[in-house]
């Protein structure tokens, strides 16, 4: 076994291996999934809010004939059950929480890079680098680190110790 090389905090894996080039690299498929989730983060947040608004019954009481007064608690119970068992809602909430956690633990430049490239989709990574006054390679390293951290939070890649 050849020793691994250290470069900018990343450990290079020896050639001929089917694994990614660096230990903190992610496969193109995982990268695409994470980028898609990051691009649609704001839509996910809106969907979650709308889902909750649609699922939670109105505070206005429904008038009945006076029989079977347990309707309000039954509605609340059914709503809680639908929310707790919705795989789609669970997945997009998990995705949003992972993105929020990673972005909360990054600096302002990283957050602005995500905003320009993924949310506003107004710039390429190179264009965003110019706006942020950082080099092109630094912008790509930052983007790759953000994507890797989100993928790790979502459990798409193993945690490297």
């Amino acid at each position: 076994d050849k020793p691994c090389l250290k470069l900018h905090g990343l450990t290079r894996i020896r050639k001929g291996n089917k694994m990614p080039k660096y230990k903190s690299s992610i496969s193109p498929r995982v990268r695409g999934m994470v980028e898609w989730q990051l691009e649609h983060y704001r839509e996910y947040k809106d969907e979650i809010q709308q889902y909750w608004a649609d699922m939670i019954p109105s505070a206005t009481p429904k008038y009945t004939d006076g029989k079977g007064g347990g309707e309000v608690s039954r509605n609340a119970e059914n709503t809680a059950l639908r929310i707790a068992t919705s795989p789609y809602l669970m997945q997009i909430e998990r995705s949003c929480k992972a993105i929020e956690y990673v972005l909360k633990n990054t600096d302002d430049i990283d957050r602005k890079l995500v905003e320009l490239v993924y949310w506003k989709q107004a710039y390429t990574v190179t264009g965003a680098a110019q706006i942020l006054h950082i080099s092109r390679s630094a912008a790509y390293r930052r983007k790759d680190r953000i994507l890797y951290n989100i993928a790790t939070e979502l459990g798409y890649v193993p945690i490297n110790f």
Side-chain angles (χ1 to χ4, degrees), residues 72-92:
V72 173
S73 64
R74 177 62 65 185
N75 282 341
E77 181 181 313
N78 288 337
T79 299
L81 186 61
R82 283 195 311 249
I83 289 171
T85 59
S86 169
Y88 177 73
L89 184 62
M90 290 170 34
Q91 175 59 36
I92 63 173

Side-chain angles (χ1 to χ4, degrees), residues 2-50:
K2 296 179 185 177
C4 296
L5 302 172
K6 288 277 191 180
L7 175 68
H8 301 290
L10 302 174
T11 305
R12 177 131 185 177
I13 298 175
R14 46 192 168 86
K15 273 190 156 184
N17 206 338
K18 296 286 183 190
M19 294 175 64
K21 186 174 182 181
Y22 294 98
K23 281 187 181 177
S24 64
S25 295
I26 54 179
S27 71
R29 182 173 292 162
V30 170
R31 175 181 298 280
M33 286 177 13
V34 173
E35 285 183 316
W36 193 88
Q37 290 173 340
L38 193 54
E39 286 172 7
H40 294 86
Y41 167 77
R42 295 203 172 160
E43 294 170 32
Y44 282 166
K45 291 297 283 184
D46 292 342
E47 269 187 74
I48 291 169
Q49 288 178 346
Q50 187 60 47

Side-chain angles (χ1 to χ4, degrees), residues 26 30 33-35 37-39 94-103 106 114 118-119 143-157:
I26 54 179
V30 170
M33 286 177 13
V34 173
E35 285 183 316
Q37 290 173 340
L38 193 54
E39 286 172 7
R94 187 170 160 251
S95 177
C96 287
K97 285 178 183 176
I99 291 168
E100 288 165 1
Y101 176 79
V102 169
L103 293 180
T106 60
V114 167
Y118 291 104
W119 294 342
K143 179 190 80 124
D144 290 344
R145 186 180 63 238
I146 292 166
L147 295 176
Y148 178 80
N149 290 342
I150 293 170
T152 302
E153 279 300 310
L154 289 169
Y156 296 161
V157 293

Side-chain angles (χ1 to χ4, degrees), residues 91-156:
Q91 175 59 36
I92 63 173
E93 282 183 331
R94 187 170 160 251
S95 177
C96 287
K97 285 178 183 176
I99 291 168
E100 288 165 1
Y101 176 79
V102 169
L103 293 180
K104 183 180 76 173
N105 293 308
T106 60
D107 61 12
D108 291 336
I109 293 174
D110 286 351
R111 285 188 287 273
K112 189 69 175 170
L113 181 68
V114 167
E115 181 181 335
L116 293 172
V117 174
Y118 291 104
W119 294 342
K120 289 185 177 178
Q121 297 182 347
Y123 296 95
T124 62
V125 176
T126 303
Q130 291 175 349
I131 298 293
L132 297 171
H133 306 291
I134 59 176
S135 71
R136 177 181 170 273
S137 59
Y140 274 100
R141 278 193 305 272
R142 285 173 175 269
K143 179 190 80 124
D144 290 344
R145 186 180 63 238
I146 292 166
L147 295 176
Y148 178 80
N149 290 342
I150 293 170
T152 302
E153 279 300 310
L154 289 169
Y156 296 161

